[in-house]
């Protein structure tokens, strides 16, 4: 049926324990469309479940595995 979307092949779970400064957010990027194709503007933010626990679940196509990824911290300041 054209209105039904194909389910993702797999879910990749990223979990990280890190204490970072206020106004900072952790992101993951990588070599697949779901991870932003190394484009920092498309990096995926991790959510904070406590001051030191971060994570995100990302739907990916099985065809995009294996994949490469890296994490980064981005700082936001109001000027």
């Amino acid at each position: 049926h054209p209105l039904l979307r194909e389910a993702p092949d797999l879910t990749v779970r990223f979990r990280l324990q890190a204490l970072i400064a206020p106004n900072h957010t952790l992101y993951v990027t990588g070599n697949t469309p779901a991870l932003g194709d190394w484009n920092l503007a498309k990096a995926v933010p991790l959510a904070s479940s406590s001051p030191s626990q971060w994570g995100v679940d990302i739907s990916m196509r099985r065809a995009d595995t294996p994949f490469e990824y890296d994490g980064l911290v981005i700082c936001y300041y109001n000027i």
Side-chain angles (χ1 to χ4, degrees):
H1 188 276
L3 296 178
L4 296 178
R5 295 178 54 186
E6 184 176 319
D9 289 339
L10 57 97
T11 299
V12 177
R13 176 168 287 172
F14 291 91
R15 296 291 180 258
L16 182 66
Q17 185 172 358
L19 287 172
I20 62 172
N23 301 323
H24 290 64
T25 301
L26 295 173
Y27 286 79
V28 64
T29 188
N31 67 337
T32 69
L35 295 174
D37 286 322
W38 295 119
N39 181 339
L40 297 184
K42 296 180 181 178
V44 179
L46 280 72
S48 176
S49 59
S50 74
S52 64
Q53 300 295 319
W54 297 80
V56 67
D57 292 343
I58 299 175
S59 299
M60 295 183 67
R61 299 179 317 150
R62 191 168 303 278
D64 288 336
T65 60
F67 61 92
E68 297 177 11
Y69 68 94
D70 205 351
L72 60 141
V73 177
I74 296 179
C75 176
Y76 296 97
Y77 287 104
N78 292 328
I79 298 177

